Amino acid sequence: MMIVPWLHVISPPVQKVDEVIRIAIEIADYADFIHLRQKEWPAKKLWEVVESCKHYGIPTQKWIINDRCDVAAAVQAKGVQLAYHSLPCNIVRRMYPQLTVGVSVHNEAEAALAKQDGADYLLFGHVFDTSCKPGIPERGLAGLQACREVVDVPIIAIGGIKPENIVDVVSAGGSGVAVMSGIWNAESPGVAARIYREALLNSAHAI
């Protein structure tokens, strides 16, 4: 059975609820998961997005909430994405057993620790140069491969991911990709998401 790598789409730091809802509706059919990553938003604003999108046919299980375990649990999201400033993974796992827990990592040592602490998947990056991380060297496909060698949980690659490099990412051990500006800031986010989805499907055939 062919396994198609996952497409995670991450929202950038926009301020308008209506914009997040509009783009989420455009991309929902192509994204496996949409990360709500509005770091400055209060809980109620995050809740409003997920609840509003539910009325447009986007299931709550399509959502992953950045950092806010309480919001993820309240809206019955798929899971929560933890960063260095978040609660420890093992604490979140114990307090919110219903949530899928992702952990952001940057090297194999962090990957091994996150797996040990109970992470369901890892978000590794940044793999390629990206305007989101100016001045910080890319970690490259070698960094992704190093993580794959020490963990057996899914690894989602982020940072400079384009449709044309997805085959290389999957070949290096990526279980999927996470994209922000390449989809969210595209002239047509829905079309961009479809192109990424097709590239992921092609990578499954190529590997």
Side-chain angles (χ1 to χ4, degrees):
M1 179 180 175
M2 183 179 66
I3 298 175
V4 179
W6 292 328
L7 175 59
H8 291 233
V9 181
I10 300 179
S11 64
V14 296
Q15 295 302 314
K16 295 180 179 179
V17 167
D18 289 349
E19 179 182 345
V20 176
I21 293 171
R22 175 180 61 81
I23 294 179
I25 292 168
E26 285 189 42
I27 67 175
D29 287 345
Y30 306 108
D32 292 293
F33 302 106
I34 305 171
H35 290 234
L36 194 53
R37 191 174 176 266
Q38 279 28 65
K39 297 180 181 181
E40 307 302 322
W41 282 16
K44 187 175 181 181
K45 204 170 179 180
L46 298 168
W47 173 86
E48 182 181 344
V49 167
V50 179
E51 285 297 305
S52 297
C53 285
K54 188 163 61 174
H55 296 296
Y56 289 98
I58 302 177
T60 59
Q61 287 285 296
K62 180 80 73 169
W63 293 95
I64 293 175
I65 310 299
N66 187 78
D67 189 45
R68 295 296 302 267
C69 310
D70 55 339
V71 176
V75 301
Q76 298 182 316
K78 176 67 175 179
V80 63
Q81 180 67 41
L82 304 179
Y84 69 93
H85 58 267
S86 302
L87 290 171
C89 179
N90 57 345
I91 300 299
V92 174
R93 166 68 58 227
R94 185 168 74 245
M95 295 294 292
Y96 300 95
Q98 75 276 31
L99 295 178
T100 294
V101 181
V103 176
S104 298
V105 301
H106 307 93
N107 54 55
E108 61 268 34
E110 292 179 5
L113 180 60
K115 166 65 185 332
Q116 179 182 317
D117 284 348
D120 292 299
Y121 71 91
L122 309 178
L123 191 67
F124 171 79
H126 56 286
V127 178
F128 303 110
D129 273 336
T130 171
S131 58
C132 298
K133 302 287 184 181
I136 302 177
E138 63 182 50
R139 293 177 170 89
L141 294 172
L144 175 59
Q145 288 173 321
C147 290
R148 174 48 69 214
E149 289 172 4
V150 298
V151 299
D152 56 1
V153 296
I155 303 175
I156 308 302
I158 189 171
I161 306 296
K162 296 178 172 57
E164 55 266 29
N165 59 34
I166 282 177
V167 169
D168 292 336
V169 168
V170 175
S171 297
S175 308
V177 300
V179 182
M180 183 188 291
S181 58
I183 290 176
W184 209 273
N185 296 337
E187 184 174 342
S188 174
V191 170
R194 176 175 57 78
I195 291 170
Y196 274 91
R197 166 59 63 194
E198 290 171 352
L200 286 162
L201 181 60
N202 291 337
S203 75
H205 286 292
I207 301 304

